[in-house]
Amino acid sequence: MLLKPGIETGDYWFVFQGIDKVVHISTFVMLGFCFMSAFPKTRFIVFLQIMMCYTFLTEILQDEMGLGRSLEVWDAVADTIGVLIGYFLFRKTRNFVV
């Protein structure tokens, strides 16, 4: 989804300025949560390094593929925030997940 050609239009009621950051955050919340669900014994620093590599790789690929997407620092910041939220959501809910 992060590497799809980027076309933002205001034709839909849910499209607003900054929606791409919301998409980045929500995507990486799910990615961080799912990663920790799959590998719950992963140390935080290892988790963060893996997720940051993925963050920077997707940003670089967005820029290099030439599909209307570009490398943006604020997207990487949004991705990092999403990863951290996903990690802490997992830590808070891991006792409730069966």
Side-chain angles (χ1 to χ4, degrees):
M1 180 169 60
L2 293 173
L3 298 176
K4 269 183 74 172
I7 300 170
E8 293 182 25
T9 63
D11 295 342
Y12 302 104
W13 64 270
F14 56 85
V15 175
F16 55 89
Q17 184 73 21
I19 191 169
D20 63 324
K21 304 305 180 261
V22 174
V23 170
H24 276 270
I25 289 173
S26 59
T27 301
F28 277 82
V29 166
M30 290 303 299
L31 181 65
F33 187 87
C34 290
F35 182 91
M36 287 308 297
S37 295
F39 306 103
K41 295 183 181 185
T42 303
R43 293 182 311 156
F44 177 73
I45 193 70
V46 173
F47 164 78
L48 193 58
Q49 289 173 341
I50 292 169
M51 292 294 106
M52 293 309 295
C53 286
Y54 188 75
T55 293
F56 291 125
L57 179 64
T58 57
E59 287 302 315
I60 290 167
L61 287 174
Q62 283 178 0
D63 194 48
E64 292 296 320
M65 291 176 70
L67 296 174
R69 311 259 332 193
S70 63
L71 186 147
E72 293 184 27
V73 173
W74 289 112
D75 284 350
V77 171
D79 297 346
T80 304
I81 291 168
V83 161
L84 293 174
I85 292 170
Y87 177 84
F88 290 114
L89 277 175
F90 173 78
R91 289 292 177 211
K92 287 289 185 187
T93 62
R94 70 178 168 181
N95 295 330
F96 302 113
V97 177
V98 177

